[in-house]
């Protein structure tokens, strides 16, 4: 029993990180309330959860708002682009679903829509963790997010499953789990992404060294 309750032990470390995810989810939700700040808030969330995976989190609140402030402008621009694209995709999906025609044009249009929706989902999952870790142009962020998602398809599929599972459990099984919500999803995805982002960081340093 003493071993289980050891503050330095794996069990208590696990409980601590789960507690962090709930607290971060509250911070994330509050900072998302103006809607336009969702991008900056999500970036700040991943900034902290990526630190948690390396046990470098320090002050959770301080780290969250540091990233929120630092990435506010670019995170907001990225989010507004994604929001606009999401509205367009949602409208197109509605049209394609309710105007089903058995001809080549409808089939081709549906195929293009599904590819675009998949690309959108990939970018949505990767772009804010990238922004939390790297400095780059907005255009490069979108490009790199899509490329990473396509290169590491297994990671992409697992991340999608994490978000889907959270939504499914919240809606159909145990609604109170929403207290963990995006915070827990971001923490789990950060464990999946930590090595990938570290690899990207190393390659970036290599390119910078070659340029010198």
């Amino acid at each position: 029993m003493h071993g289980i309750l050891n503050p330095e032990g794996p069990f208590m470390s696990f409980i601590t990180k789960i507690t962090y995810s709930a607290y971060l989810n509250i911070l994330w939700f509050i900072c998302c309330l103006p809607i336009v700040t969702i991008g900056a808030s999500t970036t700040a969330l991943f900034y902290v959860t990526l630190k948690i995976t390396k046990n470098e989190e320090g002050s959770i609140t301080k780290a969250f708002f540091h990233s929120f402030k630092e990435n506010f402008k670019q995170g907001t621009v990225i989010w507004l682009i994604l929001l606009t694209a999401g509205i367009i995709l949602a409208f197109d999906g509605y049209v394609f679903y309710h105007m089903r025609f058995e001809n080549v044009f409808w089939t081709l249009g549906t195929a293009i829509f599904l590819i675009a929706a998949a690309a959108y989902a990939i970018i949505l999952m990767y772009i804010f963790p990238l922004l939390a870790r790297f400095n780059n142009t907005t255009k490069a962020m979108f490009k790199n997010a899509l490329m990473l998602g396509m290169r590491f398809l297994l990671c992409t599929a697992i991340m999608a499953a994490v978000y889907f599972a959270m939504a499914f459990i919240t809606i159909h099984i145990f609604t109170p789990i929403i207290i963990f919500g995006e915070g827990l999803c971001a923490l789990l995805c950060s464990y999946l992404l930590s090595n990938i982002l570290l690899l990207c960081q190393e390659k970036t340093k290599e390119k910078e060294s070659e340029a010198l």
Side-chain angles (χ1 to χ4, degrees):
M1 188 69 176
H2 176 72
I4 294 177
L5 297 179
N6 180 4
E8 303 298 327
F11 178 75
M12 290 305 296
S13 177
F14 170 77
I15 294 299
T16 300
K17 290 179 179 180
I18 292 297
T19 304
Y20 284 163
S21 73
Y23 176 62
L24 283 168
N25 188 58
I26 294 170
L27 287 180
W28 174 80
F29 179 76
I30 292 172
C31 292
C32 282
L33 287 179
I35 306 299
V36 295
T37 58
I38 288 178
S41 184
T42 305
T43 303
L45 174 63
F46 274 101
Y47 178 80
V48 179
T49 55
L50 286 166
K51 281 184 170 293
I52 291 175
T53 63
K54 299 186 293 181
N55 298 312
E56 299 175 353
E57 60 270 18
S59 171
I60 298 293
T61 307
K62 185 177 179 180
F64 183 93
F65 286 105
H66 166 76
S67 176
F68 184 87
K69 181 180 179 181
E70 188 176 67
N71 297 295
F72 180 82
K73 183 177 180 180
Q74 191 172 17
T76 301
V77 171
I78 288 173
W79 166 243
L80 291 177
I81 294 171
L82 286 170
L83 180 61
T84 303
I87 292 171
I88 294 172
L89 281 172
F91 176 77
D92 289 344
Y94 178 85
V95 170
F96 279 117
Y97 180 79
H98 290 278
M99 298 180 65
R100 293 186 291 274
F101 299 105
E102 294 183 2
N103 58 52
V104 67
F105 297 107
W106 182 86
T107 302
L108 181 61
T110 301
I112 294 173
F113 166 76
L114 292 175
I115 292 171
Y120 179 82
I122 290 172
I123 292 171
L124 194 61
M125 287 189 288
Y126 279 86
I127 196 165
F128 295 116
L130 280 175
L131 181 57
R133 181 64 68 86
F134 300 101
N135 292 319
N136 215 329
T137 65
T138 298
K139 181 179 179 180
M141 286 291 180
F142 276 91
K143 178 183 176 181
N144 292 338
L146 182 59
M147 290 178 63
L148 276 180
M150 293 177 65
R151 179 179 177 184
F152 299 96
L153 285 176
L154 179 59
C155 177
T156 302
I158 296 174
M159 287 171 62
V162 167
Y163 285 109
F164 177 81
M166 178 59 72
F168 182 84
I169 293 171
T170 301
I171 296 171
H172 297 287
I173 300 177
F174 188 64
T175 303
I177 202 174
I178 198 172
I179 189 64
F180 298 102
E182 180 67 14
L184 182 56
C185 289
L187 181 61
L188 295 175
C189 290
S190 291
Y191 277 102
L192 293 168
L193 289 169
S194 57
N195 288 334
I196 293 174
L197 295 180
L198 180 60
L199 178 64
C200 293
Q201 189 173 358
E202 290 174 352
K203 287 190 174 182
T204 301
K205 289 181 179 179
E206 288 177 4
K207 289 182 179 178
E208 289 176 352
S209 299
E210 291 174 359
L212 297 174

